[in-house]
Amino acid sequence: MIVESAALGATGWVSGMTNAWPAECVEIFNLCMQEKFSEARKLYRVLTPSFHLDTHVKLVQYIKLAEHLVYGAPEWTRAPRLPLVGEERQAVIRTVIGAIDSLKTRRHSAHR
């Protein structure tokens, strides 16, 4: 809830998903600090479904899988965490790929 928090005066942000989306999260944060909330919201809307993955009990596995999908980091985790499988894994993949695709579209539109 960085946009909302920044609007209320927050001056920092802690999020596991910033590991998967570092440049985008810095952009959101900087826009918020400049009080450019409507610009920040555009990017925030794209990434919010991925940010919500950070609120689940398996957030470590979700973050690692997101990092893997976004920039190729290893997705393995240490025991006792188990790998994601089945529909749960597919749901995370769909969420992250959706953001990746939206960011590509956004960048492509910005360069026109």
Side-chain angles (χ1 to χ4, degrees):
M1 296 184 58
I2 186 56
V3 175
E4 301 89 331
S5 298
L8 293 171
T11 58
W13 181 13
V14 176
S15 167
M17 273 299 163
T18 57
N19 292 335
W21 312 101
E24 294 81 3
C25 290
V26 168
E27 183 179 349
I28 290 170
F29 185 78
N30 287 341
L31 288 168
C32 289
M33 292 301 99
Q34 297 165 22
E35 297 187 7
K36 295 180 179 179
F37 298 112
S38 94
E39 289 178 54
R41 275 194 312 269
K42 292 174 188 171
L43 183 52
Y44 187 54
R45 279 189 183 108
V46 169
L47 294 175
T48 294
S50 291
F51 293 160
H52 287 176
L53 296 173
D54 198 357
T55 65
H56 293 266
V57 71
K58 293 184 183 175
L59 67 103
V60 172
Q61 291 97 314
Y62 290 4
I63 293 166
K64 296 293 285 180
L65 180 53
E67 291 171 348
H68 176 71
L69 295 168
V70 173
Y71 56 84
E75 69 172 286
W76 64 270
T77 57
R78 291 187 208 130
R81 291 185 173 90
L82 300 173
L84 299 174
V85 297
E87 177 51 32
E88 179 180 30
R89 179 182 176 79
Q90 292 309 309
V92 173
I93 290 171
R94 281 192 303 273
T95 299
V96 175
I97 295 297
I100 291 169
D101 290 345
S102 293
L103 288 171
K104 286 179 186 174
T105 301
R106 183 177 178 269
R107 287 183 193 118
H108 181 70
S109 297
H111 292 300
R112 288 184 177 187

